[in-house]
Amino acid sequence: MPPRARVCFICGRQYMLHSFDIHVVQCRDLFEKRENQKPPKERRSCPQDPFSMMSTQGGQVADMISSSKSGKISSRDLDVLNAAAQQVWSTETLLRCANCNRSFLPE
């Protein structure tokens, strides 16, 4: 079985379950530093964790998040978390071309 990893909703890369929370803090800081170097009109806000608001309300999502932090998450639940993170990354981090609608990593 391959190592179990979560997709970062900010950079789109995969990180092991035990280091994911550490990565998100560092990735958010790096994103904000890069955006602060741009002119104010070109700055974007950092993408939000797709499960952050849902996990505070309790229920199944909160159980999935706590399970992923402890490393005891099912493959199906991990796939759900990763699909949502991938969707946020592709819609909020990648930039779309006005002419062809292709997506690109920001420079």
Side-chain angles (χ1 to χ4, degrees):
M1 185 160 99
R4 297 159 54 98
R6 280 190 63 187
V7 174
C8 176
F9 56 93
I10 300 170
C11 68
R13 295 186 206 130
Q14 292 186 354
Y15 290 89
M16 297 296 113
L17 296 177
H18 64 274
S19 62
F20 182 76
D21 291 334
I22 296 166
H23 164 74
V24 168
V25 171
Q26 294 173 347
C27 194
R28 182 175 284 123
D29 288 343
L30 181 62
F31 184 92
E32 290 171 355
K33 285 178 186 174
R34 286 181 180 162
E35 291 299 311
N36 285 335
Q37 293 176 353
K38 296 178 182 179
K41 290 185 178 184
E42 294 179 16
R43 293 179 188 168
R44 299 177 299 141
S45 60
C46 186
Q48 295 299 311
D49 185 351
F51 292 104
S52 63
M53 294 192 53
M54 289 187 253
S55 65
T56 59
Q57 298 170 356
Q60 184 180 6
V61 174
D63 293 341
M64 279 195 306
I65 299 294
S66 64
S67 296
S68 73
K69 290 180 181 180
S70 67
K72 298 177 183 176
I73 187 169
S74 71
S75 294
R76 185 180 64 76
D77 289 346
L78 185 60
D79 290 343
V80 169
L81 289 173
N82 286 340
Q86 188 74 32
Q87 179 66 29
V88 169
W89 176 73
S90 66
T91 58
E92 295 184 27
T93 301
L94 296 179
L95 301 174
R96 296 258 172 219
C97 173
N99 297 318
C100 67
N101 204 29
R102 286 177 48 198
S103 56
F104 299 91
L105 286 171
E107 291 183 43

